[in-house]
Amino acid sequence: MSNVWAALFGLEIDDSHFAQPAWSAWLTLLLGCVCALWLLSRRIRAYEVVR
Amino acid sequence: MAVYERNYGRYQGPLTPPWSRFLILPRYAAKDVFESRMFVAFFVCCFLLPFAGLLMIYLHHNLAALKSSTCRSSSCSRRCRSTPPSSAAASRSQSWLCFLLALFVGPALIAPDLRNNGLPLYLSRPFSRTEYVLGKMTVLVALMSLITWVPGLLLFLFQAYLEGAGWLGDNLRIGFAIFAGSWAWILVVSLVALAISGVGEVEAGGAHLAADRLLRAHRLRAGPQRGARHLVGVPAVAGRTR
């Protein structure tokens, strides 16, 4: 998220260890959202399957 | 013992418009959340940094107050302006508070409904899964917005007002960055908190239980949440599941 903030504000990232392109930081956030939505779609059901 | 005939009539009251049904959940969830004094204290503390920013911006533009205060050095004067680095630092700090807020509120949103089989109560009404998730997420989104981009943009506009014409156009990027960055973080944290709340109920372990116990002390209740019983004007449809 630090990379996202830096990209949005147009700042240089001091720590080269975390220096990665801004698009990869955005992609990581997007993947996190997709994973969370997938988990929610699996869990939020009006019934439960008993095997 | 007398046995009287019982007749059940269809609900005749006003129906909640479909587009606003998801707002019923955050209304009752917000009541529950703000019943906790600990949470209210934490929420008030979240406004300390924006308030300090407001004071600094005001002092920077009020020369008389600046001279009378102890903040006289040039470095201090520079810090009293809303620049990209200072705005980014403030946004990062508020993001951490967002995370803590999600830790407080998030686990108690979905887990009690799953644990007590409360979901059929919601979903047996004309209320979709999307609306359920949207309603639960609105609780987090509203609270986080109040501590991130809302005060951030207010401070930005306050400084634009004090700086005069031209400053707003030159520094429009700061306002956009505050808004876009805050929303990105809010959406990610809200969705992850809800997902952990849903999954942690089954897995019964890890960090969720710690957060759950923390919340149980001040908020969790047994049984499905009150919003399920208060889907005003949304009559139950027997046997309808999604």
Side-chain angles (χ1 to χ4, degrees), chain A residues 1 5 7-8 41 43-44, chain B residues 95 119 129 173 181 198 201-202:
Chain A
M1 193 63 202
W5 284 121
L8 284 171
S41 70
R43 289 296 302 146
I44 308 297
Chain B
S95 301
L119 278 182
R129 294 193 299 164
R173 182 173 190 165
E201 188 272 335
V202 188

Side-chain angles (χ1 to χ4, degrees), chain B residues 24-227:
Chain B
I24 297 167
L25 300 184
R27 198 167 69 214
Y28 286 92
K31 273 186 193 172
D32 288 345
V33 164
F34 282 103
E35 277 177 3
S36 160
R37 289 181 184 177
M38 197 168 80
F39 177 78
V40 172
F42 168 74
F43 197 62
V44 169
C45 288
C46 291
F47 291 98
L48 290 180
L49 188 63
F51 184 69
L54 181 74
L55 278 181
M56 290 171 85
I57 291 172
Y58 176 77
L59 285 177
H60 177 75
H61 290 89
N62 191 327
L63 196 60
L66 191 65
K67 281 180 179 173
S68 63
S69 71
T70 55
C71 181
R72 290 181 182 176
S73 65
S74 59
S75 63
C76 181
S77 178
R78 277 199 303 273
R79 277 201 300 270
C80 292
R81 302 194 66 178
S82 178
T83 55
S86 63
S87 299
S91 299
R92 268 194 220 113
S93 306
Q94 293 300 102
S95 301
W96 275 107
L97 293 175
C98 263
F99 179 75
L100 290 177
L101 191 143
L103 195 66
F104 265 87
V105 181
L109 287 176
I110 292 183
D113 292 336
L114 289 173
R115 188 184 308 125
N116 299 289
N117 292 323
L119 278 182
L121 287 178
Y122 292 97
L123 301 177
S124 62
R125 292 162 168 83
F127 194 69
S128 67
R129 294 193 299 164
T130 309
E131 285 171 314
Y132 176 80
V133 173
L134 201 61
K136 295 292 183 182
M137 208 170 91
T138 306
V139 183
L140 287 170
V141 168
L143 291 173
M144 290 181 187
S145 294
L146 284 175
I147 64 171
T148 51
W149 65 269
V150 172
L153 284 186
L154 285 177
L155 288 181
F156 176 72
L157 292 176
F158 180 60
Q159 174 144 6
Y161 168 72
L162 292 177
E163 292 276 358
W167 188 89
L168 184 67
D170 295 339
N171 295 279
L172 210 54
R173 182 173 190 165
I174 296 179
F176 173 75
I178 291 171
F179 185 77
S182 300
W183 267 105
W185 182 240
I186 286 171
L187 285 179
V188 171
V189 170
S190 303
L191 284 173
V192 169
L194 288 181
I196 290 174
S197 174
V199 175
E201 188 272 335
V202 188
E203 301 296 335
H208 167 72
L209 272 188
D212 201 21
R213 283 176 190 151
L214 180 70
L215 282 162
R216 194 188 297 269
H218 71 279
R219 200 212 150 273
L220 274 187
R221 295 166 176 222
Q225 296 184 339
R226 282 190 285 172

